[in-house]
Amino acid sequence: MTYPTALGASSLKTITLLGQDLAEDVMGTVGFGELAFWLATQRRPTPGETRVFEAVLAALADHGFTPTAIVTRLTYLSAPDSVQGALAAGLLGGGSRFLGVTEDCGRFLHDVLSGVDGGLPTDDEGWDELALAAVRAQREQGRFVPGLGHHVHKEGDPRTPRLFAIAAEEGLRGPHLALFAAIGRVHPRVLGKTLPLNGAGTCGAALADLGLPVELLRGFALLARAAGLLGQIAEERRRPIGMDAYLAIDRNAVYVDPSEE
Amino acid sequence: MTYPTALGASSLKTITLLGQDLAEDVMGTVGFGELAFWLATQRRPTPGETRVFEAVLAALADHGFTPTAIVTRLTYLSAPDSVQGALAAGLLGGGSRFLGVTEDCGRFLHDVLSGVDGGLPTDDEGWDELALAAVRAQREQGRFVPGLGHHVHKEGDPRTPRLFAIAAEEGLRGPHLALFAAIGRVHPRVLGKTLPLNGAGTCGAALADLGLPVELLRGFALLARAAGLLGQIAEERRRPIGMDAYLAIDRNAVYVDPSEE
Amino acid sequence: MTYPTALGASSLKTITLLGQDLAEDVMGTVGFGELAFWLATQRRPTPGETRVFEAVLAALADHGFTPTAIVTRLTYLSAPDSVQGALAAGLLGGGSRFLGVTEDCGRFLHDVLSGVDGGLPTDDEGWDELALAAVRAQREQGRFVPGLGHHVHKEGDPRTPRLFAIAAEEGLRGPHLALFAAIGRVHPRVLGKTLPLNGAGTCGAALADLGLPVELLRGFALLARAAGLLGQIAEERRRPIGMDAYLAIDRNAVYVDPSEE
Amino acid sequence: MTYPTALGASSLKTITLLGQDLAEDVMGTVGFGELAFWLATQRRPTPGETRVFEAVLAALADHGFTPTAIVTRLTYLSAPDSVQGALAAGLLGGGSRFLGVTEDCGRFLHDVLSGVDGGLPTDDEGWDELALAAVRAQREQGRFVPGLGHHVHKEGDPRTPRLFAIAAEEGLRGPHLALFAAIGRVHPRVLGKTLPLNGAGTCGAALADLGLPVELLRGFALLARAAGLLGQIAEERRRPIGMDAYLAIDRNAVYVDPSEE
């Protein structure tokens, strides 16, 4: 039995990573975002792709006291001997609800595009038509359109226009972003109200336009969040809130008789 | 009860991260390694610090089929519905044995330097003297010197000279690297054999010279590994080995009577 | 803000759990399986329910070198300082593929039963008819029937008849087990081959007949596995295989050029 | 390469666990606490041992809104698709601070007993002398005595006398419990104040007296907690508090300028 891999390999004098000499050709030369992209695709990104990719990672790294951040802080409070446990616990909250929009949106756009017979639209009118059909189909199946709406940024998520702009600057505004923009234009006609395109969804569209596998988009959100959670642990060390947060919950517990339900 | 933080915060129209406007001043401008450093220290690194930091992350990202990589692949095999679980499981192997050298070495050097009365050495002779005392003290307490030796790179870890060189190029060869280099020179006098300075240990010294908190050095190794594990998941999707690895173990199980012990 | 709970609560002199005095009425009186059932349902099980429940936990606790067991051993090898990490990593493999059959089968049976208009069947003929319709519907949608087939026990899983017998002894053979038994009788007519009812699926049927919430059936499989994984860690301490398993994979790695794909 | 194990093994017609026929001799016969003990020690416990063991598990299963419970609830809120992630995240808080007392106390007592030359004490006077020396030695090294004190049960933890009584009833009050009781009597002479023997510490002493490996005592606390966390998930489904707890923290966040530190 043998196990093939194109990732890391070591011999007496060299370490190879992705077919490169790690020490000579990667260290000091390849940035961390660039490397993460390369590891996931086994293809070195262009500087433009790296810039879009890192903009997405920045957009997703931290949003204050989200459930994942609180979980990491409370786990670090309980088990300060295990930084890996605190980090892992926080990442485990990266599931379908809070960190899942990026992947859900990327997949949704990907599925719509994959279902197009013939060529993709070439003008806004064509994109709007495709978007309209897609939004209608979701609605008919009683499903949400991923990437629409935000509980705080009700008048527009500031990450959205910025990410569209960066992708355009780098010539990387592809069909996923085009379709997502069209959804932004047409959805009020179907839903009867105007919702902002949220940042997490835009990130999913941008990552899909970079050619990253849609089944792994959640993974990139997790990588971004890993950096954010490390920041949370560092801040918990210097300005702790974990104990207060725990006690605020524990001291407001109200005992309910199990039989009263 | 209030909870202070200098990390992420959102209002209707803006998102702030580390006191910056996320959309305008971070996205598209700040690289991912730079951002991770900034999140952990709440201080923006210089380009030179970023380069050393990213070189360390590259050095630690992936080493092929390590236990952490195998764990991530087997967990993905078992629970492909949960990328976050596969990533978290792999990171949980980042403990004292396999991924701990970086932190152990950084802490050790830090403790030796903290114990110096008066000024630090100013020449190689002075560093050698300090290193000699430190190695002797470890040995007398029956402890290993962290960062010495490598099971594959017995004649030298290629990452070590490269990282020293990058740190020197950026003017960031500080006391931790100086002491570690001196340990490389003097330890044969105490241990009676010559061991290479390994890459993981050098990473710990370099991170400590960047002023990163020594209690969190393991956290940076975990961040680097998160990128590597994402690469492992991506490769498991395109060129799977998890099932074969599992079966190779399961089919070679030998049943032992519990009472025979 | 207050947070209601009927689980544990403490005051100066007493600890209450599920409305009971923990020290006086639970410790020394309530077995661990019984307590786990009670915690999950907030209803004390009868001795018969406890016996069926514990039989299911025994059936699912350990199956040798499964991916979850290997993951726990490799994580313990890497991070022996963190038993919680080794246990958590193993549990993270309890997802859709390897440990998911119990829940999938319980849910499937539950959904079929929920869709029955009027009363449930009262004889084997009636159950067979319902089972036949259910198997046909799955097949038409291109889906597997959960709980059918086993890669080792091709002629029958020894846990299956035993669990049916225990449930019958305790008067707890309800509609989920009845429907599952009928599926065992009729599926060859639809699938054209005879597959055994596997133990994991039977466990799901039995748990559903105990009235446990079908959305949490995977949770009970995980609890059972937690005991098994603790056994794996204990055995890894006395008779280690983790290092050998890791090296068997690492040493048989074959490097592939990433560009050759 | 072969991999020995005395745990689970499967062949075409049988499943063996711990040398027993799983279906015939374990399912329906062996309780879950008994099985967990057996798996960890590869020795079947007596009914008395099982009773003490299960009393310990009951004592440690749940204490309301502890950090581990909150973590599990918040993770389930974020990622309801992954029960295994919510459970694993909670267990990761089972580290040195909140769930570690059981193991710390068991180890401490074990180390004191291992250091006794000649026979162990045979009367209270002898135990008091040994306890006095042990408490003094800890104090001189600036260390806490594990198992002393409780932030809620300041006048006595109700689990403590109950567990001593159960162990005595079963003839299983061994040297660890004897030493711990003596520590309860003598520590005021050294520490100048009287602290209660807490329940978690007593659990550690009782588990050590059962002959369970002291390096794994934390593992049993984790197993108990796994049942409790499953109860937390079940209650979160029927009476959710996760969203409120998250918002209570998020809405009370106060933004601090990173440069102001």
Side-chain angles (χ1 to χ4, degrees):
Chain A
M1 181 58 63
T2 59
Y3 306 101
T5 181
L7 298 171
S10 297
S11 64
L12 179 65
K13 302 219 171 173
T14 61
I15 305 176
T16 303
L17 186 67
L18 294 157
Q20 312 297 308
D21 184 303
L22 171 66
E24 293 311 312
D25 300 329
V26 181
M27 289 170 65
T29 307
V30 180
F32 186 52
E34 185 182 2
L35 181 64
F37 187 115
W38 197 345
L39 283 161
T41 60
Q42 303 200 357
R43 173 179 77 76
R44 185 171 192 170
T46 65
E49 288 173 323
T50 299
R51 183 163 172 251
V52 173
F53 183 62
E54 293 194 309
V56 167
L57 296 181
L60 300 175
D62 188 82
H63 297 107
F65 294 124
T66 52
T68 60
I70 301 169
V71 160
T72 283
R73 296 227 191 194
L74 289 177
T75 305
Y76 189 68
L77 172 73
S78 291
D81 47 318
S82 169
V83 168
Q84 71 270 28
L87 185 58
L91 292 176
L92 289 171
S96 56
R97 199 176 301 181
F98 273 78
L99 220 67
V101 177
T102 298
E103 180 165 320
D104 291 347
C105 187
R107 270 179 195 263
F108 170 69
L109 300 170
H110 182 80
D111 290 348
V112 173
L113 294 172
S114 304
V116 173
D117 279 333
L120 293 176
T122 52
D123 55 17
D124 276 5
E125 204 166 66
W127 285 112
D128 283 4
E129 203 178 317
L130 182 59
L132 206 54
V135 173
R136 280 198 180 118
Q138 280 296 97
R139 185 171 195 149
E140 276 160 23
Q141 292 166 57
R143 291 188 190 154
F144 290 107
V145 178
L148 280 185
H150 196 283
H151 70 294
V152 174
H153 308 300
K154 292 179 200 296
E155 300 175 15
D157 187 322
R159 297 171 295 175
T160 299
R162 180 71 176 132
L163 198 50
F164 270 98
I166 293 168
E169 283 165 26
E170 304 298 340
L172 290 165
R173 225 180 122 162
H176 299 85
L177 281 167
L179 175 59
F180 196 50
I183 288 173
R185 292 189 297 267
V186 305
H187 75 271
R189 284 192 252 163
V190 185
L191 307 183
K193 60 184 171 183
T194 303
L195 295 167
L197 296 178
N198 63 45
T202 314
C203 287
L207 292 175
D209 270 345
L210 291 176
L212 294 165
V214 288
E215 301 85 0
L216 288 187
L217 297 190
R218 190 190 291 185
F220 300 107
L222 292 165
L223 178 63
R225 190 50 55 95
L229 293 176
L230 220 50
Q232 293 282 342
I233 295 172
E235 194 176 68
E236 181 69 17
R237 291 181 57 84
R238 76 161 63 104
R239 203 186 281 126
I241 64 103
M243 183 60 86
D244 283 344
Y246 149 53
L247 291 176
I249 297 168
D250 186 48
R251 288 184 180 156
N252 290 301
V254 172
Y255 201 72
V256 177
D257 193 307
S259 61
E260 275 176 14
E261 208 168 346
Chain B
M1 182 58 64
T2 59
Y3 306 101
T5 181
L7 299 170
S10 297
S11 64
L12 179 66
K13 301 219 171 172
T14 60
I15 304 176
T16 304
L17 186 67
L18 295 158
Q20 312 297 309
D21 183 304
L22 171 65
E24 292 312 311
D25 300 329
V26 181
M27 289 171 64
T29 308
V30 180
F32 186 52
E34 187 182 1
L35 181 64
F37 187 114
W38 197 346
L39 283 162
T41 60
Q42 303 200 356
R43 174 179 77 75
R44 186 171 192 169
T46 65
E49 288 173 324
T50 300
R51 184 163 173 250
V52 173
F53 183 62
E54 293 194 308
V56 167
L57 296 181
L60 300 175
D62 188 83
H63 297 108
F65 294 124
T66 52
T68 60
I70 301 168
V71 160
T72 282
R73 296 225 190 196
L74 289 178
T75 305
Y76 189 69
L77 172 72
S78 291
D81 47 318
S82 169
V83 168
Q84 71 270 29
L87 185 58
L91 292 176
L92 289 171
S96 57
R97 198 176 301 180
F98 273 79
L99 220 66
V101 177
T102 297
E103 180 165 318
D104 291 347
C105 187
R107 269 178 195 264
F108 169 69
L109 299 170
H110 182 79
D111 289 347
V112 172
L113 293 171
S114 305
V116 173
D117 280 332
L120 292 177
T122 53
D123 57 15
D124 276 6
E125 207 167 61
W127 284 111
D128 283 5
E129 204 177 316
L130 183 60
L132 205 55
V135 173
R136 280 198 181 119
Q138 281 294 97
R139 189 179 191 141
E140 275 159 24
Q141 292 166 56
R143 292 189 189 152
F144 290 107
V145 177
L148 281 184
H150 195 285
H151 69 294
V152 173
H153 308 300
K154 293 179 199 298
E155 299 174 15
D157 187 322
R159 297 171 294 176
T160 299
R162 180 70 176 132
L163 198 49
F164 271 99
I166 293 168
E169 284 165 25
E170 304 298 340
L172 291 164
R173 227 180 120 163
H176 299 85
L177 282 166
L179 175 59
F180 196 50
I183 289 173
R185 293 190 296 268
V186 305
H187 75 271
R189 286 192 251 163
V190 184
L191 307 183
K193 60 184 170 183
T194 302
L195 295 167
L197 295 178
N198 62 45
T202 314
C203 287
L207 292 176
D209 271 344
L210 291 176
L212 295 165
V214 289
E215 301 85 0
L216 288 186
L217 297 189
R218 192 191 289 185
F220 301 107
L222 292 166
L223 178 64
R225 189 51 54 96
L229 294 176
L230 219 50
Q232 293 282 340
I233 295 172
E235 194 176 66
E236 181 68 17
R237 290 182 58 85
R238 76 162 63 106
R239 203 185 279 126
I241 65 101
M243 183 61 86
D244 283 345
Y246 149 54
L247 291 175
I249 297 168
D250 186 50
R251 287 182 180 155
N252 290 301
V254 172
Y255 201 71
V256 176
D257 193 309
S259 61
E260 274 177 15
E261 207 165 346
Chain C
M1 181 60 63
T2 58
Y3 305 102
T5 181
L7 299 170
S10 297
S11 63
L12 180 65
K13 300 218 171 172
T14 60
I15 304 176
T16 304
L17 186 67
L18 295 158
Q20 312 297 308
D21 183 304
L22 171 66
E24 293 312 310
D25 300 328
V26 181
M27 290 171 63
T29 307
V30 180
F32 186 52
E34 186 182 0
L35 181 63
F37 188 114
W38 198 345
L39 284 161
T41 60
Q42 304 201 355
R43 175 179 75 76
R44 187 170 191 170
T46 65
E49 288 173 323
T50 299
R51 184 164 173 250
V52 173
F53 184 61
E54 293 194 308
V56 167
L57 296 181
L60 300 175
D62 188 83
H63 298 107
F65 294 125
T66 53
T68 60
I70 301 168
V71 160
T72 283
R73 296 223 190 198
L74 289 178
T75 305
Y76 190 68
L77 172 73
S78 291
D81 47 318
S82 169
V83 167
Q84 72 270 28
L87 185 57
L91 292 177
L92 289 171
S96 57
R97 199 176 300 181
F98 273 79
L99 221 66
V101 177
T102 297
E103 180 165 319
D104 291 347
C105 187
R107 270 178 196 262
F108 170 70
L109 300 171
H110 182 80
D111 290 347
V112 172
L113 294 171
S114 305
V116 172
D117 280 331
L120 293 177
T122 52
D123 56 16
D124 276 6
E125 207 167 61
W127 284 112
D128 284 5
E129 204 178 314
L130 182 59
L132 205 55
V135 173
R136 278 197 181 120
Q138 281 295 97
R139 190 178 189 142
E140 276 160 23
Q141 292 166 55
R143 292 187 190 154
F144 290 107
V145 178
L148 281 184
H150 195 285
H151 69 292
V152 174
H153 309 300
K154 292 178 199 296
E155 299 175 16
D157 186 322
R159 296 170 295 175
T160 299
R162 180 70 175 131
L163 197 50
F164 270 98
I166 293 168
E169 284 165 26
E170 304 298 340
L172 292 164
R173 225 180 121 161
H176 298 85
L177 282 165
L179 175 58
F180 197 50
I183 288 173
R185 292 190 296 269
V186 306
H187 76 270
R189 283 193 252 163
V190 184
L191 306 183
K193 60 184 170 182
T194 302
L195 295 167
L197 295 178
N198 62 46
T202 314
C203 287
L207 292 176
D209 271 345
L210 291 176
L212 295 165
V214 288
E215 301 84 0
L216 288 187
L217 297 189
R218 191 190 290 185
F220 301 106
L222 292 166
L223 177 64
R225 189 51 53 94
L229 294 175
L230 220 50
Q232 293 283 341
I233 295 172
E235 193 175 67
E236 181 68 18
R237 291 181 57 83
R238 77 162 62 106
R239 203 186 279 126
I241 65 102
M243 184 61 88
D244 283 346
Y246 149 53
L247 292 175
I249 297 168
D250 186 49
R251 288 185 179 154
N252 289 301
V254 172
Y255 200 72
V256 177
D257 193 307
S259 61
E260 275 177 13
E261 207 167 344
Chain D
M1 181 59 62
T2 59
Y3 306 101
T5 181
L7 299 170
S10 297
S11 64
L12 179 64
K13 301 219 172 172
T14 62
I15 305 177
T16 304
L17 185 67
L18 295 157
Q20 312 297 307
D21 183 303
L22 171 66
E24 294 311 312
D25 300 329
V26 180
M27 289 170 64
T29 307
V30 179
F32 186 52
E34 185 182 2
L35 181 64
F37 187 115
W38 197 346
L39 282 161
T41 60
Q42 303 200 356
R43 173 179 77 75
R44 185 171 192 170
T46 65
E49 288 173 323
T50 298
R51 185 165 172 249
V52 173
F53 183 62
E54 293 194 309
V56 167
L57 296 181
L60 299 175
D62 187 81
H63 297 107
F65 294 124
T66 53
T68 59
I70 301 169
V71 160
T72 283
R73 296 225 190 194
L74 289 178
T75 305
Y76 189 68
L77 172 73
S78 291
D81 47 318
S82 169
V83 168
Q84 71 270 28
L87 184 59
L91 293 176
L92 289 171
S96 56
R97 198 176 300 180
F98 274 78
L99 221 66
V101 177
T102 298
E103 180 165 319
D104 292 346
C105 187
R107 270 178 196 263
F108 170 69
L109 299 170
H110 182 79
D111 290 348
V112 173
L113 294 171
S114 304
V116 173
D117 279 333
L120 292 177
T122 53
D123 55 16
D124 276 6
E125 206 168 63
W127 284 111
D128 284 3
E129 203 177 315
L130 182 60
L132 205 54
V135 174
R136 279 197 181 120
Q138 281 294 98
R139 185 171 195 149
E140 276 161 23
Q141 293 166 54
R143 291 188 190 156
F144 291 107
V145 178
L148 280 185
H150 196 284
H151 69 293
V152 173
H153 308 301
K154 292 180 200 296
E155 300 175 15
D157 187 323
R159 298 171 294 176
T160 300
R162 180 70 175 133
L163 198 49
F164 270 99
I166 294 168
E169 283 165 26
E170 304 298 340
L172 291 165
R173 224 179 122 162
H176 299 85
L177 282 167
L179 175 59
F180 195 50
I183 287 173
R185 291 189 298 267
V186 305
H187 76 271
R189 283 192 252 164
V190 184
L191 306 183
K193 60 184 170 183
T194 302
L195 296 167
L197 296 178
N198 62 45
T202 314
C203 287
L207 292 176
D209 271 346
L210 292 176
L212 294 165
V214 288
E215 301 85 359
L216 287 186
L217 296 191
R218 190 190 291 185
F220 301 107
L222 292 166
L223 177 63
R225 189 51 54 95
L229 294 176
L230 220 50
Q232 293 282 341
I233 295 172
E235 193 176 68
E236 181 69 17
R237 292 181 58 82
R238 76 162 63 105
R239 203 185 281 127
I241 64 103
M243 183 61 85
D244 283 344
Y246 149 53
L247 291 176
I249 297 168
D250 186 47
R251 289 183 180 158
N252 289 300
V254 172
Y255 200 71
V256 177
D257 194 306
S259 61
E260 276 176 14
E261 208 169 346

